[in-house]
Amino acid sequence: QVQLVESGGGLVQAGGSLRLSCAASGRTFSSYAMGWFRQAPGKEREFVAAISGSGGITYYANSVKGRFTISRDNGKNTVYLQMNSLKPDDTAVYYCAAKYGSTRANLEQSYDYWGQGTQVTVSS
């Protein structure tokens, strides 16, 4: 069983930056691809970014490409999402997720474990 805990959300003005963190409890953290998803009120949860177990491969939704960066520190069992140039439509609850292996990491159904979410609000 893997537990995931997100942190780092908050309120920021448009154009600002935030860094989200996700701490994992698993003993085989590097065997899991890690992903970030987000859900705005009244909308479906959507893929944001993912990273392979080794950290060598990353994937991004087109809506965040060039603005967000996903990274991981396997020594700390932690994955990060650096969010720059934030826009009001980035406002959502952001969820960290883990899946065994690194294939199909852009698909929500591929993930086995989910965190509780952290709120990101971007004001105009």
Side-chain angles (χ1 to χ4, degrees):
Q1 186 173 359
V2 176
Q3 291 188 131
L4 305 172
V5 180
E6 302 98 332
S7 62
L11 175 65
V12 64
Q13 290 187 324
S17 298
L18 284 173
R19 189 179 76 158
L20 306 183
S21 298
C22 174
S25 64
R27 297 182 65 188
T28 56
F29 182 65
S30 64
S31 296
Y32 291 83
M34 301 294 296
W36 288 97
F37 295 77
R38 66 187 183 186
Q39 187 169 27
K43 296 186 176 181
E44 299 285 340
R45 186 157 57 191
E46 65 175 348
F47 169 77
V48 176
I51 188 166
S52 61
S54 68
I57 304 173
T58 56
Y59 312 86
Y60 297 95
N62 289 335
S63 60
V64 307
K65 195 172 298 182
R67 299 188 297 121
F68 291 10
T69 302
I70 189 170
S71 61
R72 67 192 294 161
D73 184 340
N74 287 344
K76 296 181 178 179
N77 276 25
T78 302
V79 64
Y80 306 94
L81 185 68
Q82 178 67 47
M83 305 185 294
N84 298 326
S85 301
L86 283 162
K87 305 173 181 179
D89 57 6
D90 293 319
T91 295
V93 176
Y94 283 70
Y95 295 90
C96 174
K99 70 174 292 290
Y100 190 80
S102 295
T103 58
R104 299 179 296 277
N106 61 324
L107 301 178
E108 179 178 342
Q109 65 197 55
S110 297
Y111 287 82
D112 303 302
Y113 304 99
W114 294 83
Q116 82 289 345
T118 186
Q119 177 71 46
V120 172
T121 302
V122 184
S123 65
S124 60

